Amino acid sequence: METPSAIDDLPRVQIERLVYEGDGLGRLPSGEVIFIPFSAPGDDVLVSVETRRKRVLHGQINHIESPSEDRIDPRCSVFGECGGCHWQHISLPAQHQWKQAIVQESLARLGGLRDVAIQPILSKADASVEPGWFYRSKVEWLVEDGRLGYARRQSHDLVAFDRCWIVPDSFNALAAWFREHPAVLAQVYRIQVRTNEAQELLVTVYCRDDLPEDVVSLFHVDMPSSFPKLAGVVVDTHGRETCLVGEPYLLENIGPYVFEVTPQSFFQVNPKVTQCLMEAVSAMVLPDTRTLVDIYAGVGLFGIGLHRQFERVVLVESSPHAVQNARRNLAHNQIVDPGPVEILQGGAEEVLQALDEGFDVAVIDPPRQGCQPDVLAWLTAHVRRQVLYVSCNPTTLARDLKLLVQDGWQIQTIQPLDMFPQTYHIETVVSLTRPA
């Protein structure tokens, strides 16, 4: 912290808005733009310039002269150190306002899409918990030198915590259990915990060597007695998984469908908002459409969740593990395999190049880097009526929408969802159709 005399010499900045990746944007007296983490729009702050990266200035707050009306006190004792949360200092309504604005700004600046309407952000919480908190159904902790915690912001160092506010209390109780058993922490370097709507727990510990018998006994006896809803304990040693207790998966309900979630599965971490997402996508599907291709299908969330609206569904997924999960999820939902739903394994570009077939509708849910140009070109060549684009990154979404619009697609609906409260991350689903 600067001395009082030094603070008087620091530049004063008014924070104008929030940007994707979480920082506040302000301007130095010179007019130069500077990005300030953990600031809020409307803050009047004294800042120090820390770095210049790619001709962009980054700084930090040294003193708040006048706080934003949207600024609140963070709940977490390590907020600002831990890399998990970015916006605990901003009220939830303001977070929603700025997430919607970030989608709008990204589409305009990066996609040239300036005249598109953004729907109000969707959010959903369990009636028994506060909105914006305790929502994560999956977490990973680092373990170093007998300490358990999260990765430090912009670092791989460990930050210990007393209580995490974005996970269920059962996760905090599990963290306390591990701390009370140093013999276990001495054997592991990472811990993953998952839960489901039934509040069951699936624990995976990652080890470099086989566990000694006294530690195995703790997982067999002490942990189940401490956590009656423990569904399973999995040990991963150099990629070799062994189930010590219960089953190596959880079953998660999304609407009327059941999805098997394993340690390696990608599955949305906010089940309530995932339900909102599925309802939004389902409601956007055009009537009188018969065939669907689900690209980057993962464990089959969209292909399975929408299959009753179509006569034929094809899932495209590159991960062998995700394909295995998807096949098991077909069975969990009494969907015949092979039958009306077909699963094709391989990279999207390679599979689609060989899939010379037309579809009425495509759902695409790519990773953060968005779609390859060949995939977008395939959509234009093979999808007759509608593309439903699900994105977790508004910057790559804007880039891809620009290309689709240039190819003749028209944007009908843009629906952001607050899948990740207290963070800058934004989920968005966009419906595009062919002109009549």
Side-chain angles (χ1 to χ4, degrees):
M1 182 66 68
E2 301 283 343
T3 63
S5 60
I7 284 179
D8 293 338
D9 297 330
L10 291 173
R12 189 165 179 166
V13 172
Q14 184 86 18
I15 302 301
E16 300 174 11
R17 57 189 175 89
L18 294 172
V19 299
Y20 187 64
E21 297 192 346
D23 291 351
L25 180 150
R27 297 177 192 276
L28 295 170
S30 65
E32 289 182 286
V33 170
I34 186 168
F35 295 94
I36 308 293
F38 310 115
S39 60
D43 277 347
D44 188 356
V45 293
L46 300 179
V47 304
S48 56
V49 179
E50 299 292 313
T51 60
R52 183 187 292 271
R53 298 197 300 270
K54 298 181 180 179
R55 296 182 295 179
V56 176
L57 293 175
H58 296 262
Q60 69 172 10
I61 296 174
N62 286 78
H63 181 70
I64 300 176
E65 295 282 276
S66 175
S68 164
E69 63 181 14
D70 295 322
R71 179 176 280 276
I72 61 175
D73 292 330
R75 293 190 177 188
C76 181
S77 62
V78 294
F79 176 68
E81 299 177 61
C82 169
C85 290
H86 317 101
W87 286 354
Q88 280 196 23
H89 63 295
I90 299 172
S91 70
L92 194 61
Q95 290 183 37
H96 291 171
Q97 171 192 339
W98 284 104
K99 288 185 177 184
Q100 185 172 340
I102 286 169
V103 174
Q104 188 95 55
E105 190 272 341
S106 296
L107 296 186
R109 180 173 58 88
L110 301 173
L113 304 169
R114 293 178 174 82
D115 299 320
V116 292
I118 312 294
Q119 297 297 312
I121 197 164
L122 289 178
S123 183
K124 178 76 173 178
D126 191 300
S128 65
V129 301
E130 296 176 76
W133 304 101
F134 316 112
Y135 65 86
R136 283 193 68 97
S137 62
K138 174 193 171 185
V139 76
E140 291 197 356
W141 297 315
L142 304 178
V143 180
E144 292 179 3
D145 301 323
R147 298 185 308 135
L148 175 152
Y150 292 112
R152 185 177 297 276
R153 177 174 171 264
Q154 297 180 343
S155 168
H156 296 292
D157 295 340
L158 182 144
V159 175
F161 64 94
D162 297 322
R163 180 184 184 184
C164 179
W165 290 87
I166 61 171
V167 302
D169 283 336
S170 58
F171 284 26
N172 289 305
L174 265 170
W177 184 92
F178 278 106
R179 294 188 189 104
E180 292 165 3
H181 294 86
V184 177
L185 290 184
Q187 300 294 323
V188 307
Y189 63 89
R190 183 158 58 99
I191 300 167
Q192 181 195 101
V193 186
R194 289 183 180 268
T195 191
N196 58 8
E197 188 177 29
Q199 301 179 37
E200 296 171 316
L201 296 169
L202 176 63
V203 179
T204 306
V205 293
Y206 294 82
C207 311
R208 293 184 178 88
D209 301 298
D210 291 339
L211 295 177
E213 286 302 317
D214 60 330
V215 171
V216 171
S217 178
L218 287 170
F219 286 123
H220 276 298
V221 179
D222 193 276
M223 183 175 276
S225 65
S226 300
F227 299 94
K229 290 195 173 183
L230 183 68
V233 176
V234 176
V235 177
D236 185 303
T237 309
H238 300 293
R240 175 173 53 87
E241 290 186 355
T242 303
C243 185
L244 288 184
V245 177
E247 300 291 345
Y249 61 84
L250 293 175
L251 295 178
E252 182 63 87
N253 293 306
I254 301 296
Y257 299 105
V258 178
F259 296 91
E260 181 178 299
V261 182
T262 63
Q264 296 183 43
S265 298
F266 170 80
F267 203 78
Q268 297 285 7
V269 300
N270 190 328
K272 296 297 180 183
V273 178
T274 301
Q275 178 64 46
C276 288
L277 173 62
M278 283 301 308
E279 292 170 357
V281 172
S282 178
M284 290 179 189
V285 173
L286 292 177
D288 302 319
T289 49
R290 297 183 177 182
T291 55
L292 169 72
V293 59
D294 178 4
I295 305 171
Y296 311 101
V299 302
L301 176 65
F302 294 108
I304 290 173
L306 299 172
H307 86 279
R308 289 179 182 171
Q309 295 174 251
F310 297 92
E311 296 175 3
R312 171 168 163 72
V313 177
V314 174
L315 279 60
V316 178
E317 172 55 42
S318 62
S319 165
H321 186 85
V323 168
Q324 182 182 22
N325 284 159
R327 294 194 188 284
R328 291 173 64 87
N329 286 332
L330 292 179
H332 284 306
N333 292 283
Q334 289 81 51
I335 301 171
V336 177
D337 178 24
V341 179
E342 180 182 1
I343 302 174
L344 302 179
Q345 182 179 328
E349 301 94 317
E350 293 77 19
V351 171
L352 295 177
Q353 186 176 13
L355 187 61
D356 190 16
E357 176 182 348
F359 292 86
D360 293 329
V361 181
V363 173
I364 53 174
D365 185 10
R368 293 180 57 79
Q369 60 265 34
C371 291
Q372 295 294 326
D374 288 349
V375 173
L376 299 176
W378 187 92
L379 293 173
T380 298
H382 292 84
V383 179
R384 291 181 284 266
R385 296 191 59 189
Q386 184 178 35
V387 170
L388 295 163
Y389 192 137
V390 181
S391 168
C392 62
N393 184 339
T395 62
T396 55
L397 173 65
R399 179 202 67 200
D400 291 349
L401 290 182
K402 178 180 181 179
L403 295 174
L404 288 170
V405 169
Q406 288 174 350
D407 282 343
W409 292 93
Q410 296 179 349
I411 294 174
Q412 301 300 323
T413 307
I414 303 173
Q415 178 63 71
L417 302 98
D418 192 16
M419 188 74 73
F420 314 98
Q422 318 307 331
T423 81
Y424 66 80
H425 297 293
I426 312 165
E427 198 82 3
T428 310
V429 57
V430 181
S431 171
L432 302 101
T433 62
R434 299 276 202 184

